[in-house]
Amino acid sequence: MRNARVKDVRSISALVRRAYDDLPAYTQGEIRGQINNFPEGCFVALLDDEMVGYCASMQLPEPVAFADHNWDEISGNGYGSRHDPNGDWLYGYEMCVDPKVRGVRIGRRLYEERRALAEERDLNGIVFGGRMPHYKRNKRKVDGPQDYLDQVLAGKLHDPVLRFQLANGFEPERVFENYLPEDKRSEGNAVMMVWRNPYAEQDQPAKKRLPRGVEAVRVATCQLQARAVADYEEFMRAIEYFVDVASDYESDFIVFPEMFTLMLLSFEKKELSPVEAIERLSEYTPRLKADISDFAMRYNINIIAGSHPTMMDDGDIHNVAYVCLRDGSVHEQEKIHPTPNERYWWNIKGGDSIDVIQTDCGPIGVQICYDSEFPELSRRLADEGARIIFVPFCTDSRQGYLRVRYCAQARAIENQCYVVLSGNVGNLPNVANMDIQYAQSCILTPCDFPFARDGIAAEASENVETLTISDINLADLSWARAEGTVRNLADRRFDLYRIEWDDSKTHTARPKPRREPIGTHSAGGG
């Protein structure tokens, strides 16, 4: 048996996913969010390389940690997104141990890791809401949860969780009612348990500031010119050229536009109908994934391969972004919201889930064009730890482009993250879907002191083929989230609102009206 502090998110994420079925009340996304938002405060206990215990913690200022609250609002809806690097208390918001190995002091060892972290960071102590699972069975013997706690303290009643926490040096502060309604055995009640760090000067105010470190990532966005090609190989040579150039500049990422593979229709012997064209493009999916993944490994760069229409197992066509990482892995992110044009002309269906993708530069998110106009999706990605969101887009007019651009800038501000846009330019006379294109690809930032004056790290010239490259500092995001002029993520009112995501796979999308949209048979128009 040994404990392991989570230091490498990539190496532990697969382990977390394997053990998910044994962990109650969580989705994989929430677990990833906890690890991504505060990796130093997440611990796992390993037994023969299998995870048998897990706990999550975050730093909070004393006024927040000790105020009345419930589990949802204090934990940021389970993602640990309220973590404040300048907080003076460690708040524990999850602890679970595999029932098969209880009794071998795994919980005690996880608590020891928490205490060691609090001492290492010179925090005032640890606080959390502790369960009282025997409350329901003893409800008739007591006069409410406070009386139950008093009787447990007096030794008149036994509660295994409370006794365990008391034995580990925690003291009860007060009772929280309706702390976690899902905890039926405790009837939603919890006890605020506190451990005070004996090495901290409790009467001295915390004097902590998050250092402005450097965590540089180089990002390239390709504004791609639509061109007629003779065959698939010529198309891939054009893509490889930009991958090669971005690699020469030692970029960590390159992103291509939405539907960038429409050029493959230019060498068809006849102009296809929209539905025929999409089905034809889908036939290239296996070759495209294999070749882009090969580029990523050979040129040592992470590639967000725009998006490409793909036929799913059930016969539906989805608009899918393939993310090929330089470690050889290939990830997929479907477009959640097809535009009216995509639905009407191409019969494209929307995907069912959006999650961060783990890379060697940290977790990232991908939102295809129209998806960037739905703020709930970006907020979910930010809660899961994404600090860069890539937005491949395809817009035919300036109005369509500006819808994507303005929304992407808003997403960067409200989620305190970077947003990278990549669009198509030019036209293909024999491809109805590429009649006209408008784009000005860019790399957008939050609007605060560490960033560019106008919130633009870099942008391309309008409607010309080019590669735009910029260095971005992820550490600036951490600083802004903790000490910025505004702190959009930390200042959310979890007591008033939250986002609930349906993780079931039984979605039935409501049918949309089959009215012909305005404009050409274009990819979407933002």
Side-chain angles (χ1 to χ4, degrees), residues 4-6 12 16 23-45 51-60 71 74-83 89-97 106-107 109-115 117-118 123 125-130 165 170 179 193 383:
R5 182 176 299 182
V6 178
I12 205 66
V16 170
L23 302 180
Y26 273 108
T27 66
Q28 292 183 19
E30 286 170 333
I31 294 172
R32 284 198 299 272
Q34 293 170 1
I35 291 174
N36 292 330
N37 281 306
F38 188 28
E40 296 89 350
C42 295
F43 304 95
V44 294
M51 187 170 74
V52 293
Y54 168 79
C55 72
S57 318
M58 59 185 169
Q59 286 176 236
L60 292 177
W71 185 85
I74 199 69
S75 68
N77 202 20
Y79 287 101
S81 52
R82 298 194 73 179
H83 166 59
W89 284 83
L90 190 67
Y91 193 99
Y93 60 98
E94 182 50 49
M95 166 80 76
C96 48
V97 176
I106 291 173
R109 298 180 188 190
L110 291 171
Y111 276 143
E112 288 173 356
E113 285 289 330
R114 274 182 173 166
R115 277 195 291 268
L117 180 63
L123 303 179
I126 303 172
V127 60
F128 60 84
Q165 292 161 353
F170 289 87
Y179 180 78
M193 304 296 288
D383 277 341

Side-chain angles (χ1 to χ4, degrees), residues 179-383:
Y179 180 78
L180 185 63
E182 295 88 348
D183 183 3
K184 303 302 183 184
R185 294 169 63 192
S186 305
E187 295 205 341
N189 300 298
V191 180
M192 175 183 272
M193 304 296 288
V194 178
W195 173 80
R196 288 177 168 80
N197 180 5
Y199 304 106
E201 298 183 20
Q202 301 283 343
D203 57 342
Q204 296 296 319
K207 294 182 179 180
K208 301 183 177 70
R209 289 188 65 83
L210 189 67
R212 286 276 302 281
V214 176
E215 193 179 346
V217 173
R218 184 163 294 174
V219 177
T221 175
C222 178
Q223 187 160 285
L224 190 63
Q225 171 79 41
R227 53 169 60 81
V229 293
D231 50 31
Y232 173 85
E233 287 71 21
E234 183 178 343
F235 168 76
M236 291 308 298
R237 284 196 295 272
I239 300 304
E240 184 177 12
Y241 168 79
F242 287 105
V243 171
D244 188 8
V245 173
S247 175
D248 284 344
Y249 281 92
E250 299 183 348
S251 300
D252 296 293
F253 294 95
I254 182 172
V255 55
F256 289 94
E258 178 187 24
M259 291 291 187
F260 75 124
T261 53
L262 283 171
M263 284 187 267
L264 294 171
L265 297 175
S266 64
F267 56 85
E268 291 293 325
K269 292 185 170 44
K270 66 173 183 175
E271 186 172 340
L272 304 176
S273 71
V275 172
E276 290 174 332
I278 287 302
E279 292 179 351
R280 179 72 181 98
L281 279 178
S282 185
E283 296 174 10
Y284 292 101
T285 301
R287 293 176 68 187
L288 180 75
K289 289 169 61 176
D291 289 343
I292 296 292
S293 181
D294 178 62
F295 292 166
M297 289 186 289
R298 285 199 290 117
Y299 290 100
N300 191 34
I301 188 171
N302 300 306
I303 303 174
I304 293 83
S307 79
H308 174 74
T310 299
M311 183 172 290
M312 314 309 284
D313 293 338
D314 60 3
D316 287 343
I317 298 289
H318 287 210
N319 190 356
V320 182
Y322 292 100
V323 179
C324 301
L325 304 182
R326 49 191 169 194
D327 64 4
S329 61
V330 179
H331 305 264
E332 300 178 8
Q333 178 57 65
E334 299 174 11
K335 190 173 186 176
I336 306 299
H337 303 90
T339 62
N341 270 331
E342 287 175 288
R343 292 196 306 269
Y344 184 85
W345 294 109
W346 295 349
N347 199 27
I348 285 181
K349 302 294 193 300
D352 293 330
S353 65
I354 188 165
D355 287 292
V356 297
I357 297 168
Q358 301 292 346
T359 76
D360 53 6
C361 298
I364 65 166
V366 177
Q367 291 185 278
I368 303 173
C369 197
Y370 193 32
D371 281 348
S372 66
E373 298 175 32
F374 295 83
E376 305 87 356
L377 302 185
S378 297
R379 181 53 50 86
R380 175 176 171 86
L381 293 171
D383 277 341

Side-chain angles (χ1 to χ4, degrees), residues 60-80:
L60 292 177
E62 182 167 315
V64 176
F66 282 81
D68 288 334
H69 58 263
N70 60 41
W71 185 85
D72 281 329
E73 63 184 83
I74 199 69
S75 68
N77 202 20
Y79 287 101

